[in-house]
Amino acid sequence: MEWFSNRYRIPNKQNHDLTTASLGIFNRVKFNHSAVNHSAVALALIISLFFSTLSVVAAELSTEKLHQEHSHQIIEVNRANSDITIDGIPSESDWQQAKWHPIDQMIIGPAISADDFSGQYKLLWREDKLFLLAEIIDDVLFDQTADPTVLYWDDDTVEVFLDEDASGGEHQFNHNAFAYHVALDRQVADFSTLKQAMTFNEHIETVWTRDPINPKKIYWEMAIHIFPDSYDDSLDAFAHNQVSPITLSAGKVMGFMLAYCDNDGSKQRENFIGSHPIKAVDGDMNRGYKSADVFGKIKLIK
């Protein structure tokens, strides 16, 4: 061992140089170790921030999806080649060629049999009106309130939802859209801009008749004037200073939905059935009377 030590003994100067070099390496290693620590902390913060952001984005997307309304296929509506007579008898050839659409989406109430209620509808248009034909099978027709502006939604009623410019949005106490309740006695009611119910009988001409073979089946015809959101409740519908109904033309797109209030004799309506599915908000699907966002769309074609 002594021979080995003497043979490989390093001179003092070299020892000093080696010691100095070793200290420099050690210091660099300490510095790099510190840098690695700082990098690790920074990386951990970045990862934490990334997943926090991802969580927020996921929550926002989840909320957006939760409140996103159903997407409905646009319904194309043919122009009638001749005038439609509103008599509750759909004998015109234009009605025979028009397509049926179902009223089968339960909005309020339990499931019911087809004998209790079933419904479908057709649409046509001419320049001055939108035409609606509803075929309703209802075993009991019930109208318990004489005043057409009181609890009209608890009677057997066809409800026509119309948004002239398909803009969507809130409309409960304005005319951004209309929610016409058409009663058995032909009274047409909706809320006004004064936040109270009133009649809009001049907006819709309507007649219904029973099918001669099946008395539970009724044909409900309507001719509807399409008014814009600037309609003035303080004036008659066709007063000289009232806004005019829209002149319809091919390519026009409007918000539309149809529903039926069914009551077989109860204090309140038993079922409310619509033409379009509605997403529930806090368990409530009855949103059409206050939000046009749940409507579908129709497009007028030749």
Side-chain angles (χ1 to χ4, degrees):
M1 290 296 294
E2 183 180 353
W3 172 81
F4 181 85
S5 177
N6 289 334
R7 185 178 178 92
Y8 291 96
R9 181 175 291 133
I10 299 173
N12 289 337
K13 183 178 184 304
Q14 290 181 353
N15 284 339
H16 178 269
D17 292 343
L18 180 60
T19 301
T20 302
S22 298
L23 289 172
I25 292 172
F26 178 73
N27 288 333
R28 284 198 300 274
V29 170
K30 285 178 65 179
F31 173 79
N32 290 340
H33 178 70
S34 176
V36 169
N37 284 340
H38 285 301
S39 298
V41 171
L43 181 60
L45 289 173
I46 290 171
I47 292 173
S48 176
L49 180 62
F50 171 78
F51 281 106
S52 295
T53 304
L54 190 63
S55 177
V56 170
V57 170
E60 290 177 350
L61 288 175
S62 178
T63 301
E64 182 179 345
K65 185 177 180 181
L66 179 66
H67 294 290
Q68 184 179 2
E69 305 295 350
H70 286 287
S71 178
H72 305 296
Q73 184 175 0
I74 293 179
I75 294 173
E76 293 186 336
V77 180
N78 290 327
R79 181 183 182 277
N81 293 313
S82 57
D83 288 332
I84 302 296
T85 302
I86 304 302
D87 55 7
I89 303 173
S91 57
E92 292 87 352
S93 61
D94 287 303
W95 279 137
Q96 307 308 314
Q97 297 172 24
K99 181 181 177 181
W100 284 114
H101 303 281
I103 307 172
D104 59 358
Q105 300 296 315
M106 190 61 67
I107 300 172
I108 295 175
I112 52 178
S113 68
D115 285 338
D116 189 351
F117 170 83
S118 62
Q120 56 184 352
Y121 69 97
K122 294 181 176 184
L123 294 167
L124 292 168
W125 68 277
R126 285 177 71 81
E127 282 70 17
D128 58 339
K129 298 180 187 75
L130 179 72
F131 297 96
L132 168 67
L133 170 65
E135 180 190 272
I136 304 295
I137 294 176
D138 190 355
D139 58 345
V140 177
L141 295 182
F142 183 64
D143 188 343
Q144 65 183 323
T145 307
D147 188 334
T149 64
V150 175
L151 299 176
Y152 45 81
W153 51 83
D154 287 326
D155 298 329
D156 283 338
T157 302
V158 173
E159 188 167 357
V160 183
F161 301 88
L162 278 169
D163 179 6
E164 178 270 321
D165 57 3
S167 60
E170 192 277 329
H171 72 91
Q172 184 174 4
F173 299 120
N174 61 69
H175 298 313
N176 179 46
F178 287 89
Y180 296 117
H181 297 72
V182 185
L184 292 169
D185 62 356
R186 306 183 189 181
Q187 299 287 320
V188 180
D190 189 16
F191 282 116
S192 72
T193 52
L194 299 177
K195 299 186 178 182
Q196 61 188 20
M198 63 178 286
T199 57
F200 295 86
N201 295 339
E202 293 175 291
H203 291 211
I204 299 180
E205 178 187 358
T206 180
V207 175
W208 63 268
T209 61
R210 292 188 186 275
D211 183 85
I213 299 174
N214 180 4
K216 291 183 181 180
K217 181 187 293 185
I218 62 174
Y219 296 105
W220 210 319
E221 263 187 318
M222 302 183 195
I224 308 167
H225 294 284
I226 307 299
F227 284 94
D229 56 10
S230 54
Y231 183 83
D232 188 345
D233 289 333
S234 67
L235 302 171
D236 291 338
F238 296 101
H240 74 279
N241 51 345
Q242 176 66 272
V243 62
S244 298
I246 297 296
T247 299
L248 302 178
S249 60
K252 173 75 172 175
V253 175
M254 295 185 285
F256 176 85
M257 187 169 70
L258 194 67
Y260 188 80
C261 301
D262 185 34
N263 192 342
D264 292 342
S266 301
K267 198 66 178 174
Q268 297 178 322
R269 62 183 164 187
E270 297 160 4
N271 294 94
F272 187 43
I273 311 100
S275 59
H276 293 69
I278 298 175
K279 183 166 287 189
V281 174
D282 297 327
D284 180 20
M285 286 190 291
N286 184 24
R287 302 169 51 219
Y289 73 96
K290 56 188 175 183
S291 174
D293 292 338
V294 305
F295 297 3
K297 288 184 173 65
I298 59 175
K299 182 178 182 179
L300 310 184
I301 63 172
K302 288 188 176 180

